[in-house]
Amino acid sequence: MNRKTSGSEIERLVALLARLPGLGHRSARKAALALLKKRTELLEPLAAALTDTAAKLVECRDCGNIDSVNPCTICQDPRRDRTLIVVVEEIGDLWALERAGVVGGLYHVLGGQLSPLDGIGPDRLNIGRLIERVREPVREVLLALNATVEGQTTAHYLTEQLRDRGVAVTRLAHGVPIGGELDYLDEGTLAAAIKSRRSI
C-alpha cells in the first residue's frame, strides 16, 4: 500500500515534474526535494521565472519559434542571412542548431512532421506560412529534418511544394558522424554515407 509522505501541494509538484520529458516519478521526487531544500535559492526564483515566462510567452508570427517578443529575437536580428531559411520540425531542433552556432540564416518551425498514420497532414503543420515566406530575398531553403521515415516524407512533400518557388532546396547530409567508427554504425547510416559521398 502506498502511503502519503507529503501534503497535496508537494504531491502535485512531484506529479507535474514527472510529466516532463526524461523525468520519471523517482527523478521528479528528487528534483522536488532539491527545490524544497533550497526554497529561497531555487524554488521561489523558479516559480517566479515560470510565472513570468507563462505570461510573456508568444509564438513568433514569422517562424513559429517561441520567445517573449514577436517577431522573435532571431527573426529581428539584422545580422541574420535573410537569403536562407532553415526548416526544422520542433523548437528543440532550432535550439540545437543555435547551440552548435552553425546557422547564420533564419528558421522555420513546422511543429512536427507529416504522419498519415497518426492523422497529421499538411494542414496540421506550419507549412502554409513557410510557402508564403519563400520569396525574395530567400534563395535557399535547408530542410534540417530528422532522418526518420516521417522526416523523409515531410522533406519530399516540402520539396514538391517549393519546386516552383525559384529557390534551391537542400537537405542536411546523412552519414558518418565526426569521431564515429564504422564498426559501430548501423547499416542505414553507412548506406547514407556511401550515397552522400563527395570528391575531396
Side-chain angles (χ1 to χ4, degrees):
M1 164 170 75
N2 279 344
R3 295 183 179 174
K4 285 189 95 171
T5 57
S6 50
S8 61
E9 294 84 1
I10 295 173
E11 290 299 322
R12 181 171 175 250
L13 174 62
V14 171
L16 288 170
L17 288 171
R19 291 171 63 182
L20 293 171
L23 284 184
H25 193 72
R26 183 173 289 171
S27 298
R29 271 201 183 286
K30 285 183 179 179
L33 187 58
L35 290 168
L36 295 171
K37 281 183 174 179
K38 297 187 176 186
R39 183 176 176 171
T40 54
E41 305 96 63
L42 276 178
L43 182 61
E44 291 171 2
L46 177 62
L50 288 170
T51 301
D52 193 39
T53 301
K56 294 180 179 174
L57 193 68
V58 290
E59 182 177 297
C60 178
R61 66 177 177 251
D62 294 337
C63 72
N65 188 18
I66 54 172
D67 204 335
S68 57
V69 293
N70 194 5
C72 72
T73 305
I74 293 173
C75 287
Q76 288 186 37
D77 187 347
R79 297 168 297 179
R80 292 280 172 168
D81 177 2
R82 301 196 177 272
T83 67
L84 171 65
I85 294 178
V86 180
V87 179
V88 294
E89 291 176 16
E90 301 289 352
I91 293 164
D93 302 328
L94 183 157
W95 290 356
L97 289 170
E98 280 299 289
R99 273 195 316 273
V102 293
V103 174
L106 299 174
Y107 290 95
H108 189 85
V109 181
L110 293 175
Q113 55 193 0
L114 293 174
S115 180
L117 293 176
D118 297 320
I120 301 173
D123 56 315
R124 299 261 311 265
L125 301 178
N126 192 12
I127 293 175
R129 180 71 191 115
L130 171 64
I131 304 303
E132 291 173 19
R133 290 182 71 195
V134 178
R135 59 181 185 275
E136 279 294 328
V138 177
R139 291 197 301 261
E140 179 184 358
V141 175
L142 168 57
L143 304 178
L145 306 176
N146 292 324
T148 61
V149 172
E150 293 83 2
Q152 303 282 5
T153 302
T154 306
H156 178 72
Y157 179 83
L158 291 175
T159 301
E160 289 298 313
Q161 295 299 305
L162 296 169
R163 185 176 305 286
D164 300 326
R165 303 298 287 193
V167 295
V169 179
T170 57
R171 296 218 37 206
L172 290 179
H174 300 292
V176 180
I178 293 174
E181 296 180 31
L182 297 182
D183 190 36
Y184 293 103
L185 298 177
D186 63 275
E187 291 80 10
T189 300
L190 287 170
I194 294 295
K195 286 180 185 173
S196 301
R197 67 187 184 275
R198 57 189 173 87
S199 300
I200 56 171

